[in-house]
Amino acid sequence: NSKVIQTPRYLVKGQGQKAKMRCIPEKGHPVVFWYQQNKNNEFKFLINFQNQEVLQQIDMTEKRFSAECPSNSPCSLEIQSSEAGDSALYLCASSLQGLSQNTLYFGAGTRLSVL
Amino acid sequence: GDSVTQTEGLVTLTEGLPVMLNCTYQTIYSNPFLFWYVQHLNESPRLLLKSFTDNKRTEHQGFHATLHKSSSSFHLQKSSAQLSDSALYYCALGRNNNNAPRFGAGTKLSVKP
C-alpha cells in the first residue's frame, strides 16, 4: 500500500469552479511531484517542490494552478478555474531527494471530472 | 530537451510467451538514470526496476532490462508472461539534477490465457 496519501480520491466540479486536492508525502521525503495522467494514460509533469520551495513547474501550472507545500501541512494543488480538459487523474509522488535519479513513490491519485 | 519513446501503445500476448517492451531515450546528459514503472488497474504506479550502469542487466520480479548507452535503449523483458503481468508499463528518464523525471507515453501489456 502506498504511503503517499492523496485526498480526495474523486472530485467532481463544474467548469469555472475551483478544484483542490491534497497530498501527504511519505514520511521523510522532502520532495513532492505532481503529475497529470490523462485519459490516454500519458503522464504530464506539473510541478515539484523541495520542502516548501518550487523546483520546477510548467507554464500551464504557473498560469492556472496554484500549489504549495507548507511545513507541517499537506501539499496541495488547486486549479483556479476548471476546464473540461482538466479531467484527469492527478498523481502526487514523493522522493528522498530532488535529483531526478531518485525513485518516485506515488499516491493513489485524485480523479477529477469537470462537467 | 530530454525525451522517452515507447513505440508500442498496446502489446497483447498469450500467457507463457516472452515479453519485450521497447524504450529508447534522448538526452544530452551522459549519465542518465532509466526506470521502469508498472501501474496495475486502479493502482498507483510503482517502481519495477532502474539502472544507470551501462551494459549491466538489472532484474526484479522476473523482469529484466539492460541500459545500452550506445543505442540509448532500456528495453524491458521477461521470459514468460503471466496473467498478473497485465498492466501499464512506463519507461522514465532521470538526471543528476532537479528536473523531474521524463516519462514515456506508456505501454499497455495485456496477457491472455
Side-chain angles (χ1 to χ4, degrees):
Chain A
N1 288 335
S2 174
K3 296 176 185 177
V4 176
I5 308 299
Q6 289 190 250
T7 56
R9 286 297 305 275
Y10 301 93
L11 196 53
V12 180
K13 294 292 178 181
Q15 293 193 50
Q17 290 186 318
K18 289 189 178 184
K20 189 169 186 175
M21 53 204 85
R22 292 175 176 83
C23 171
I24 300 175
E26 189 166 327
K27 191 174 181 181
H29 285 190
V31 187
V32 172
F33 300 78
W34 288 97
Y35 283 89
Q36 180 195 66
Q37 187 176 24
N38 66 20
K39 62 181 181 180
N40 295 320
N41 296 313
E42 296 164 331
F43 280 31
K44 177 192 277 187
F45 166 75
L46 297 175
I47 190 169
N48 61 343
F49 292 83
Q50 181 154 355
N51 297 314
Q52 293 81 53
E53 302 296 321
V54 175
L55 292 176
Q56 189 185 14
Q57 64 181 322
I58 64 170
D59 189 52
M60 177 182 84
T61 308
E62 198 169 344
K63 289 179 178 174
R64 297 204 303 113
F65 292 57
S66 67
E68 60 177 1
C69 269
S71 61
N72 301 317
S73 292
C75 297
S76 64
L77 178 71
E78 183 173 36
I79 305 173
Q80 296 302 305
S81 178
S82 300
E83 301 173 357
D86 295 329
S87 296
L89 181 67
Y90 289 83
L91 289 166
C92 176
S94 68
S95 71
L96 274 170
Q97 295 179 38
L99 302 179
S100 58
Q101 67 191 59
N102 292 287
T103 300
L104 300 185
Y105 295 85
F106 286 89
T110 293
R111 187 166 295 281
L112 172 65
S113 297
V114 182
L115 305 178
Chain B
D2 295 344
S3 67
V4 177
T5 301
Q6 294 180 246
T7 51
E8 311 102 346
L10 172 65
V11 172
T12 303
L13 288 174
T14 301
E15 190 179 14
L17 290 181
V19 178
M20 180 157 167
L21 306 184
N22 292 319
C23 172
T24 57
Y25 64 90
Q26 284 191 313
T27 180
I28 60 172
Y29 184 58
S30 57
N31 294 304
F33 290 76
L34 273 295
F35 305 80
W36 278 101
Y37 286 86
V38 59
Q39 185 180 23
H40 286 90
L41 187 63
N42 296 323
E43 294 184 10
S44 51
R46 62 174 175 82
L47 180 71
L48 181 57
L49 46 80
K50 72 177 185 181
S51 179
F52 61 90
T53 306
D54 198 13
N55 297 317
K56 181 180 177 183
R57 176 170 161 145
T58 301
E59 299 190 40
H60 187 62
Q61 295 185 334
F63 287 90
H64 63 91
T66 303
L67 175 58
H68 292 296
K69 292 184 181 180
S70 60
S71 57
S72 299
S73 67
F74 191 58
H75 305 320
L76 182 68
Q77 299 182 69
K78 188 178 185 185
S79 58
S80 175
Q82 297 177 292
L83 296 176
S84 58
D85 294 331
S86 295
L88 284 163
Y89 291 81
Y90 293 92
C91 184
L93 169 69
R95 286 195 189 192
N96 187 22
N97 63 14
N98 286 335
N99 287 352
R102 181 67 61 98
F103 282 78
T107 297
K108 183 175 181 180
L109 176 64
S110 178
V111 182
K112 308 289 187 188

PDB file of all heavy atoms in Angstrom, chain B residues 62-82:
ATOM      1  N   GLY B  62      11.209 -11.100 -11.862  1.00  0.00           N
ATOM      2  CA  GLY B  62      11.147 -11.842 -13.114  1.00  0.00           C
ATOM      3  C   GLY B  62      11.382 -10.995 -14.355  1.00  0.00           C
ATOM      4  O   GLY B  62      11.583 -11.528 -15.448  1.00  0.00           O
ATOM      5  N   PHE B  63      11.342  -9.685 -14.199  1.00  0.00           N
ATOM      6  CA  PHE B  63      11.622  -8.787 -15.320  1.00  0.00           C
ATOM      7  C   PHE B  63      13.096  -8.391 -15.311  1.00  0.00           C
ATOM      8  O   PHE B  63      13.738  -8.378 -14.261  1.00  0.00           O
ATOM      9  CB  PHE B  63      10.775  -7.509 -15.205  1.00  0.00           C
ATOM     10  CG  PHE B  63       9.327  -7.708 -15.516  1.00  0.00           C
ATOM     11  CD1 PHE B  63       8.422  -8.052 -14.523  1.00  0.00           C
ATOM     12  CD2 PHE B  63       8.853  -7.539 -16.813  1.00  0.00           C
ATOM     13  CE1 PHE B  63       7.086  -8.239 -14.812  1.00  0.00           C
ATOM     14  CE2 PHE B  63       7.513  -7.712 -17.112  1.00  0.00           C
ATOM     15  CZ  PHE B  63       6.624  -8.069 -16.104  1.00  0.00           C
ATOM     16  N   HIS B  64      13.607  -8.053 -16.482  1.00  0.00           N
ATOM     17  CA  HIS B  64      14.979  -7.562 -16.562  1.00  0.00           C
ATOM     18  C   HIS B  64      15.113  -6.537 -17.667  1.00  0.00           C
ATOM     19  O   HIS B  64      14.305  -6.505 -18.615  1.00  0.00           O
ATOM     20  CB  HIS B  64      15.986  -8.703 -16.734  1.00  0.00           C
ATOM     21  CG  HIS B  64      15.851  -9.493 -18.001  1.00  0.00           C
ATOM     22  ND1 HIS B  64      16.529  -9.181 -19.157  1.00  0.00           N
ATOM     23  CD2 HIS B  64      15.094 -10.576 -18.286  1.00  0.00           C
ATOM     24  CE1 HIS B  64      16.211 -10.061 -20.097  1.00  0.00           C
ATOM     25  NE2 HIS B  64      15.339 -10.908 -19.598  1.00  0.00           N
ATOM     26  N   ALA B  65      16.115  -5.690 -17.501  1.00  0.00           N
ATOM     27  CA  ALA B  65      16.408  -4.676 -18.513  1.00  0.00           C
ATOM     28  C   ALA B  65      17.888  -4.353 -18.436  1.00  0.00           C
ATOM     29  O   ALA B  65      18.497  -4.455 -17.374  1.00  0.00           O
ATOM     30  CB  ALA B  65      15.583  -3.413 -18.286  1.00  0.00           C
ATOM     31  N   THR B  66      18.443  -3.967 -19.574  1.00  0.00           N
ATOM     32  CA  THR B  66      19.849  -3.577 -19.634  1.00  0.00           C
ATOM     33  C   THR B  66      19.943  -2.215 -20.290  1.00  0.00           C
ATOM     34  O   THR B  66      19.392  -2.011 -21.391  1.00  0.00           O
ATOM     35  CB  THR B  66      20.668  -4.598 -20.446  1.00  0.00           C
ATOM     36  OG1 THR B  66      20.520  -5.893 -19.859  1.00  0.00           O
ATOM     37  CG2 THR B  66      22.148  -4.215 -20.463  1.00  0.00           C
ATOM     38  N   LEU B  67      20.602  -1.292 -19.642  1.00  0.00           N
ATOM     39  CA  LEU B  67      20.809   0.031 -20.213  1.00  0.00           C
ATOM     40  C   LEU B  67      21.939  -0.051 -21.243  1.00  0.00           C
ATOM     41  O   LEU B  67      23.054  -0.474 -20.923  1.00  0.00           O
ATOM     42  CB  LEU B  67      21.177   1.024 -19.116  1.00  0.00           C
ATOM     43  CG  LEU B  67      21.545   2.449 -19.543  1.00  0.00           C
ATOM     44  CD1 LEU B  67      20.412   3.100 -20.309  1.00  0.00           C
ATOM     45  CD2 LEU B  67      21.950   3.279 -18.331  1.00  0.00           C
ATOM     46  N   HIS B  68      21.638   0.318 -22.454  1.00  0.00           N
ATOM     47  CA  HIS B  68      22.641   0.363 -23.518  1.00  0.00           C
ATOM     48  C   HIS B  68      22.776   1.805 -23.981  1.00  0.00           C
ATOM     49  O   HIS B  68      21.935   2.312 -24.731  1.00  0.00           O
ATOM     50  CB  HIS B  68      22.239  -0.528 -24.700  1.00  0.00           C
ATOM     51  CG  HIS B  68      22.266  -1.989 -24.399  1.00  0.00           C
ATOM     52  ND1 HIS B  68      23.426  -2.667 -24.076  1.00  0.00           N
ATOM     53  CD2 HIS B  68      21.269  -2.910 -24.374  1.00  0.00           C
ATOM     54  CE1 HIS B  68      23.155  -3.936 -23.868  1.00  0.00           C
ATOM     55  NE2 HIS B  68      21.846  -4.120 -24.039  1.00  0.00           N
ATOM     56  N   LYS B  69      23.827   2.447 -23.534  1.00  0.00           N
ATOM     57  CA  LYS B  69      24.006   3.854 -23.898  1.00  0.00           C
ATOM     58  C   LYS B  69      24.330   4.011 -25.378  1.00  0.00           C
ATOM     59  O   LYS B  69      24.007   5.019 -25.996  1.00  0.00           O
ATOM     60  CB  LYS B  69      25.102   4.479 -23.041  1.00  0.00           C
ATOM     61  CG  LYS B  69      24.707   4.619 -21.566  1.00  0.00           C
ATOM     62  CD  LYS B  69      25.786   5.330 -20.775  1.00  0.00           C
ATOM     63  CE  LYS B  69      25.408   5.434 -19.314  1.00  0.00           C
ATOM     64  NZ  LYS B  69      26.448   6.135 -18.509  1.00  0.00           N
ATOM     65  N   SER B  70      24.957   2.985 -25.963  1.00  0.00           N
ATOM     66  CA  SER B  70      25.333   3.082 -27.383  1.00  0.00           C
ATOM     67  C   SER B  70      24.107   3.201 -28.275  1.00  0.00           C
ATOM     68  O   SER B  70      24.152   3.837 -29.327  1.00  0.00           O
ATOM     69  CB  SER B  70      26.159   1.861 -27.779  1.00  0.00           C
ATOM     70  OG  SER B  70      25.410   0.672 -27.584  1.00  0.00           O
ATOM     71  N   SER B  71      23.014   2.573 -27.855  1.00  0.00           N
ATOM     72  CA  SER B  71      21.777   2.636 -28.642  1.00  0.00           C
ATOM     73  C   SER B  71      20.683   3.420 -27.922  1.00  0.00           C
ATOM     74  O   SER B  71      19.543   3.476 -28.388  1.00  0.00           O
ATOM     75  CB  SER B  71      21.270   1.223 -28.944  1.00  0.00           C
ATOM     76  OG  SER B  71      21.059   0.492 -27.740  1.00  0.00           O
ATOM     77  N   SER B  72      21.022   4.017 -26.768  1.00  0.00           N
ATOM     78  CA  SER B  72      20.043   4.791 -25.980  1.00  0.00           C
ATOM     79  C   SER B  72      18.772   3.977 -25.737  1.00  0.00           C
ATOM     80  O   SER B  72      17.654   4.448 -25.990  1.00  0.00           O
ATOM     81  CB  SER B  72      19.698   6.112 -26.688  1.00  0.00           C
ATOM     82  OG  SER B  72      20.832   6.914 -26.833  1.00  0.00           O
ATOM     83  N   SER B  73      18.955   2.760 -25.263  1.00  0.00           N
ATOM     84  CA  SER B  73      17.799   1.892 -25.062  1.00  0.00           C
ATOM     85  C   SER B  73      17.782   1.283 -23.667  1.00  0.00           C
ATOM     86  O   SER B  73      18.837   1.148 -23.019  1.00  0.00           O
ATOM     87  CB  SER B  73      17.791   0.780 -26.107  1.00  0.00           C
ATOM     88  OG  SER B  73      18.881  -0.100 -25.910  1.00  0.00           O
ATOM     89  N   PHE B  74      16.579   0.933 -23.250  1.00  0.00           N
ATOM     90  CA  PHE B  74      16.389   0.304 -21.931  1.00  0.00           C
ATOM     91  C   PHE B  74      15.128  -0.558 -22.034  1.00  0.00           C
ATOM     92  O   PHE B  74      14.119  -0.310 -21.396  1.00  0.00           O
ATOM     93  CB  PHE B  74      16.258   1.376 -20.848  1.00  0.00           C
ATOM     94  CG  PHE B  74      16.319   0.858 -19.435  1.00  0.00           C
ATOM     95  CD1 PHE B  74      17.410   0.137 -18.972  1.00  0.00           C
ATOM     96  CD2 PHE B  74      15.281   1.121 -18.540  1.00  0.00           C
ATOM     97  CE1 PHE B  74      17.476  -0.323 -17.657  1.00  0.00           C
ATOM     98  CE2 PHE B  74      15.337   0.667 -17.214  1.00  0.00           C
ATOM     99  CZ  PHE B  74      16.434  -0.056 -16.776  1.00  0.00           C
ATOM    100  N   HIS B  75      15.192  -1.594 -22.846  1.00  0.00           N
ATOM    101  CA  HIS B  75      14.022  -2.435 -23.112  1.00  0.00           C
ATOM    102  C   HIS B  75      13.731  -3.343 -21.929  1.00  0.00           C
ATOM    103  O   HIS B  75      14.650  -3.905 -21.323  1.00  0.00           O
ATOM    104  CB  HIS B  75      14.262  -3.285 -24.359  1.00  0.00           C
ATOM    105  CG  HIS B  75      14.621  -2.488 -25.576  1.00  0.00           C
ATOM    106  ND1 HIS B  75      14.012  -1.293 -25.887  1.00  0.00           N
ATOM    107  CD2 HIS B  75      15.539  -2.720 -26.549  1.00  0.00           C
ATOM    108  CE1 HIS B  75      14.528  -0.819 -27.004  1.00  0.00           C
ATOM    109  NE2 HIS B  75      15.466  -1.657 -27.427  1.00  0.00           N
ATOM    110  N   LEU B  76      12.461  -3.546 -21.665  1.00  0.00           N
ATOM    111  CA  LEU B  76      12.022  -4.396 -20.555  1.00  0.00           C
ATOM    112  C   LEU B  76      11.694  -5.780 -21.091  1.00  0.00           C
ATOM    113  O   LEU B  76      10.966  -5.904 -22.092  1.00  0.00           O
ATOM    114  CB  LEU B  76      10.789  -3.786 -19.881  1.00  0.00           C
ATOM    115  CG  LEU B  76      10.245  -4.536 -18.667  1.00  0.00           C
ATOM    116  CD1 LEU B  76      11.225  -4.453 -17.496  1.00  0.00           C
ATOM    117  CD2 LEU B  76       8.894  -3.956 -18.253  1.00  0.00           C
ATOM    118  N   GLN B  77      12.193  -6.815 -20.431  1.00  0.00           N
ATOM    119  CA  GLN B  77      11.970  -8.175 -20.907  1.00  0.00           C
ATOM    120  C   GLN B  77      11.582  -9.103 -19.771  1.00  0.00           C
ATOM    121  O   GLN B  77      11.916  -8.867 -18.610  1.00  0.00           O
ATOM    122  CB  GLN B  77      13.248  -8.708 -21.591  1.00  0.00           C
ATOM    123  CG  GLN B  77      13.669  -7.899 -22.800  1.00  0.00           C
ATOM    124  CD  GLN B  77      14.894  -8.464 -23.472  1.00  0.00           C
ATOM    125  OE1 GLN B  77      14.833  -9.533 -24.071  1.00  0.00           O
ATOM    126  NE2 GLN B  77      16.004  -7.775 -23.389  1.00  0.00           N
ATOM    127  N   LYS B  78      10.880 -10.143 -20.165  1.00  0.00           N
ATOM    128  CA  LYS B  78      10.551 -11.220 -19.240  1.00  0.00           C
ATOM    129  C   LYS B  78      10.448 -12.486 -20.063  1.00  0.00           C
ATOM    130  O   LYS B  78       9.905 -12.451 -21.172  1.00  0.00           O
ATOM    131  CB  LYS B  78       9.236 -10.941 -18.506  1.00  0.00           C
ATOM    132  CG  LYS B  78       8.941 -11.940 -17.391  1.00  0.00           C
ATOM    133  CD  LYS B  78       7.651 -11.591 -16.657  1.00  0.00           C
ATOM    134  CE  LYS B  78       7.457 -12.550 -15.475  1.00  0.00           C
ATOM    135  NZ  LYS B  78       6.173 -12.359 -14.769  1.00  0.00           N
ATOM    136  N   SER B  79      10.920 -13.589 -19.539  1.00  0.00           N
ATOM    137  CA  SER B  79      10.990 -14.805 -20.342  1.00  0.00           C
ATOM    138  C   SER B  79       9.624 -15.438 -20.577  1.00  0.00           C
ATOM    139  O   SER B  79       9.382 -16.034 -21.627  1.00  0.00           O
ATOM    140  CB  SER B  79      11.923 -15.822 -19.682  1.00  0.00           C
ATOM    141  OG  SER B  79      11.454 -16.119 -18.375  1.00  0.00           O
ATOM    142  N   SER B  80       8.715 -15.273 -19.612  1.00  0.00           N
ATOM    143  CA  SER B  80       7.417 -15.938 -19.724  1.00  0.00           C
ATOM    144  C   SER B  80       6.334 -15.067 -19.081  1.00  0.00           C
ATOM    145  O   SER B  80       6.334 -14.875 -17.866  1.00  0.00           O
ATOM    146  CB  SER B  80       7.488 -17.307 -19.033  1.00  0.00           C
ATOM    147  OG  SER B  80       6.227 -17.927 -19.032  1.00  0.00           O
ATOM    148  N   ALA B  81       5.406 -14.589 -19.903  1.00  0.00           N
ATOM    149  CA  ALA B  81       4.374 -13.681 -19.390  1.00  0.00           C
ATOM    150  C   ALA B  81       3.359 -14.432 -18.535  1.00  0.00           C
ATOM    151  O   ALA B  81       2.984 -15.577 -18.831  1.00  0.00           O
ATOM    152  CB  ALA B  81       3.666 -13.007 -20.561  1.00  0.00           C
ATOM    153  N   GLN B  82       2.894 -13.743 -17.484  1.00  0.00           N
ATOM    154  CA  GLN B  82       1.848 -14.278 -16.623  1.00  0.00           C
ATOM    155  C   GLN B  82       0.627 -13.364 -16.719  1.00  0.00           C
ATOM    156  O   GLN B  82       0.758 -12.173 -17.032  1.00  0.00           O
ATOM    157  CB  GLN B  82       2.328 -14.319 -15.165  1.00  0.00           C
ATOM    158  CG  GLN B  82       3.508 -15.226 -14.928  1.00  0.00           C
ATOM    159  CD  GLN B  82       3.983 -15.177 -13.487  1.00  0.00           C
ATOM    160  OE1 GLN B  82       4.507 -14.166 -13.032  1.00  0.00           O
ATOM    161  NE2 GLN B  82       3.785 -16.259 -12.774  1.00  0.00           N
TER     162      GLN B  82
END
